Amino acid sequence: MTDPTASPEHHWKVCFFAESARKGTVVSRANSIGSTSASSVPNTDDEDSDYRHETSFKDSYKDRRRQAHSQAEQKRRDAIKKGYEDLQAIVPTCQQQSEFALGAQKISKATVLQKTIDYIHFLHKEKKKQEEEVSLLRKEVMALKIMKTNYEHIVKAHQNNPQQGEDQVSDQVKFSVFQSIMDSLFQSFSTSVSMNSFQELSACVFNWIEEHCKPQTLREFVVGVLRQLSGQLY
């Protein structure tokens, strides 16, 4: 009778079960090691979630800053554009050039600034001119006030002495005195002032005034005229 343990089939079965048992042990040990490792290592899913949340927050902050910067830059550009438009609407020379511009062509910013500067210089000159005119008018007003005061004194003097007018000089005598003085001045004017051109006339007039219209010269003219008239009247 043959021994079943000595047959090849029996030997194959023994080897198969032994290999299966060994693999089961290895798998069991691997599972135990994996479970131990998994229990000792922290959960990385939470870390990934936190990292993604932090990255998303940083990205949104950068986007908000970029958006705020873009809005501020757009406001600045709009303010500059409005400023140029206001200047172009206020400065008359810019308006005139805009009317003569061809088609949709616009005035450049450099031109608007230059026209504005020129207009400001013009306004300064006009202001200075008006200030000089105001100063001259104030002097004239002061002179008129002085004349008014003097005439008021004369009127009061006549009212206080009504008989003083009986010895007054007639209008004819006044005209004769004035005519004689003017004739003397015209003679010197005619001989001293050239009429060839307006430039010569302007230059000669000032020279004539400085030479023949001095207070001492005019006084001599008036005294001479009065002496002649006094001899004719008396």
Side-chain angles (χ1 to χ4, degrees):
M1 185 176 179
T2 60
D3 188 359
T5 60
S7 65
E9 184 179 357
H10 177 74
H11 179 73
W12 180 85
K13 288 181 179 181
V14 171
C15 292
F16 174 77
F17 284 114
E19 183 68 18
S20 298
R22 187 181 65 80
K23 289 183 177 180
T25 303
V26 172
V27 170
S28 177
R29 290 180 62 189
N31 291 332
S32 63
I33 293 172
S35 63
T36 303
S37 300
S39 61
S40 61
V41 177
N43 191 358
T44 58
D45 292 340
D46 294 337
E47 292 182 353
D48 293 341
S49 177
D50 293 339
Y51 176 76
R52 287 194 298 270
H53 179 71
E54 183 178 358
T55 303
S56 175
F57 177 77
K58 290 181 179 180
D59 293 340
S60 63
Y61 176 72
K62 290 180 179 179
D63 292 338
R64 289 196 301 271
R65 285 192 61 185
R66 188 181 300 108
Q67 185 178 3
H69 178 72
S70 300
Q71 292 176 354
E73 181 65 19
Q74 186 62 40
K75 289 182 179 179
R76 186 183 70 86
R77 292 179 180 178
D78 293 340
I80 294 174
K81 181 181 178 182
K82 186 178 183 301
Y84 278 104
E85 291 176 352
D86 292 341
L87 286 177
Q88 189 170 347
I90 294 172
V91 178
T93 52
C94 290
Q95 297 176 2
Q96 294 174 0
Q97 189 161 349
S98 299
E99 293 176 357
F100 290 107
L102 298 176
Q105 184 181 2
K106 294 183 179 180
I107 305 176
S108 64
K109 294 180 179 179
T111 303
V112 172
L113 291 178
Q114 186 60 48
K115 295 289 184 182
T116 304
I117 293 171
D118 295 339
Y119 186 62
I120 291 174
H121 288 321
F122 169 75
L123 291 179
H124 279 301
K125 292 180 180 179
E126 287 295 315
K127 180 183 177 184
K128 185 177 180 180
K129 182 179 178 182
Q130 291 177 358
E131 289 176 351
E132 293 176 353
E133 292 178 353
V134 169
S135 178
L136 182 61
L137 290 174
R138 286 176 179 173
K139 292 179 180 179
E140 292 181 357
V141 169
M142 184 63 67
L144 290 174
K145 287 182 179 180
I146 294 173
M147 293 174 63
K148 176 177 176 290
T149 303
N150 292 331
Y151 279 117
E152 288 176 352
H153 290 318
I154 293 172
V155 170
K156 288 181 180 180
H158 284 295
Q159 290 176 352
N160 295 330
N161 299 307
Q163 296 180 355
Q164 187 178 3
E166 295 178 356
D167 297 332
Q168 289 184 352
V169 179
S170 64
D171 292 338
Q172 182 63 34
V173 175
K174 292 179 182 179
F175 179 75
S176 299
V177 172
F178 178 77
Q179 184 179 8
S180 299
I181 294 173
M182 291 299 105
D183 288 341
S184 300
L185 291 176
F186 180 74
Q187 290 177 3
S188 63
F189 180 86
S190 180
T191 56
S192 302
V193 178
S194 174
M195 301 293 181
N196 294 329
S197 65
F198 181 77
Q199 184 176 1
E200 290 184 5
L201 174 64
S202 302
C204 294
V205 163
F206 287 105
N207 292 331
W208 173 76
I209 291 174
E210 292 294 332
E211 183 177 356
H212 296 278
C213 294
K214 296 178 181 179
Q216 182 64 29
T217 304
L218 293 176
R219 188 179 298 111
E220 292 176 358
F221 284 153
V222 174
V223 170
V225 170
L226 291 176
R227 286 175 180 175
Q228 291 178 3
L229 290 177
S230 64
Q232 295 175 6
L233 293 176
Y234 300 102

XYZ file of all heavy atoms in Angstrom, residues 21-35:
104
model
N -0.367 30.510 3.321
C -0.247 30.931 4.716
C 0.800 32.008 4.854
O 0.631 32.978 5.595
C 0.103 29.703 5.581
N 1.915 31.850 4.118
C 2.974 32.864 4.201
C 2.500 34.201 3.652
O 2.737 35.262 4.235
C 4.199 32.376 3.417
C 5.410 33.287 3.591
C 6.557 32.741 2.768
N 6.262 32.776 1.342
C 6.378 33.903 0.607
N 6.787 35.019 1.148
N 6.055 33.874 -0.679
N 1.796 34.199 2.527
C 1.281 35.439 1.951
C 0.269 36.096 2.859
O 0.223 37.319 3.013
C 0.646 35.166 0.590
C 1.681 34.824 -0.485
C 0.994 34.629 -1.830
C 2.028 34.347 -2.933
N 1.369 34.159 -4.237
N -0.569 35.274 3.502
C -1.551 35.830 4.433
C -0.878 36.511 5.597
O -1.310 37.549 6.069
N 0.196 35.903 6.048
C 0.923 36.523 7.165
C 1.534 37.839 6.752
O 1.491 38.834 7.471
C 2.016 35.567 7.643
O 1.409 34.320 8.007
C 2.755 36.139 8.833
N 2.094 37.860 5.544
C 2.719 39.097 5.044
C 1.681 40.185 4.869
O 1.890 41.346 5.235
C 3.459 38.816 3.731
C 3.940 40.121 3.115
C 4.631 37.883 3.970
N 0.522 39.840 4.305
C -0.541 40.828 4.096
C -1.045 41.346 5.414
O -1.301 42.527 5.600
C -1.685 40.206 3.275
C -2.901 41.124 3.245
C -1.212 39.908 1.859
N -1.195 40.391 6.390
C -1.669 40.802 7.708
C -0.694 41.747 8.358
O -1.080 42.765 8.947
C -1.878 39.562 8.575
O -2.264 39.936 9.873
N 0.599 41.421 8.256
C 1.611 42.314 8.834
C 1.626 43.658 8.124
O 1.756 44.711 8.751
C 2.984 41.655 8.737
C 3.137 40.460 9.677
C 4.496 39.853 9.531
N 5.513 40.843 9.901
C 6.815 40.634 9.708
N 7.248 39.538 9.123
N 7.663 41.567 10.087
N 1.455 43.641 6.813
C 1.446 44.902 6.053
C 0.263 45.766 6.441
O 0.378 46.985 6.594
C 1.419 44.600 4.554
N -0.911 45.102 6.655
C -2.076 45.865 7.054
C -1.895 46.468 8.426
O -2.297 47.609 8.693
C -3.320 44.971 7.048
C -3.727 44.574 5.626
O -3.451 45.321 4.684
N -4.380 43.420 5.483
N -1.275 45.676 9.321
C -1.059 46.198 10.669
C -0.087 47.352 10.663
O -0.270 48.344 11.352
C -0.548 45.072 11.583
O 0.716 44.606 11.109
N 0.978 47.244 9.826
C 1.954 48.335 9.731
C 1.306 49.561 9.120
O 1.507 50.692 9.547
C 3.171 47.888 8.915
C 3.934 46.812 9.676
C 4.095 49.069 8.603
C 5.063 46.163 8.857
N 0.478 49.374 8.059
C -0.194 50.492 7.406
C -1.129 51.196 8.340
O -1.218 52.422 8.353
N -1.872 50.402 9.152
C -2.794 51.025 10.089
C -2.051 51.797 11.150
O -2.468 52.872 11.569
C -3.697 49.953 10.714
O -2.891 49.036 11.452
